[in-house]
Amino acid sequence: MSAPTDFGNMPGLTVEEAAGLISHAIVAKPVEISPWWSGPVQAWSDLTRGPAQRLMSRSYRRA
């Protein structure tokens, strides 16, 4: 069995927020459920994916 992962300062849901999401999922049955901060994180990831991959591939070639 593995130890719990410490995510440090990563945003998370409080008990009340998690209960609200679950309640919403049961009643509304949406196609996708995610916390409020996942949209901006996904957008940032999409915008920086190309430059980050280019940087990593250049660094890998030099090694």
Side-chain angles (χ1 to χ4, degrees), residues 16 23 36:
E16 292 81 16
S23 300
W36 65 267

Side-chain angles (χ1 to χ4, degrees), residues 11-55:
L13 299 176
T14 65
V15 174
E16 292 81 16
E17 290 172 331
L21 277 175
I22 292 169
S23 300
H24 174 70
I26 292 170
V27 174
K29 297 182 169 102
V31 174
E32 181 179 326
I33 299 174
S34 60
W36 65 267
W37 49 265
S38 66
V41 169
Q42 183 64 43
W44 178 254
S45 174
D46 291 345
L47 290 173
T48 60
R49 182 173 294 129
Q53 285 179 340
R54 285 191 294 276
L55 176 67

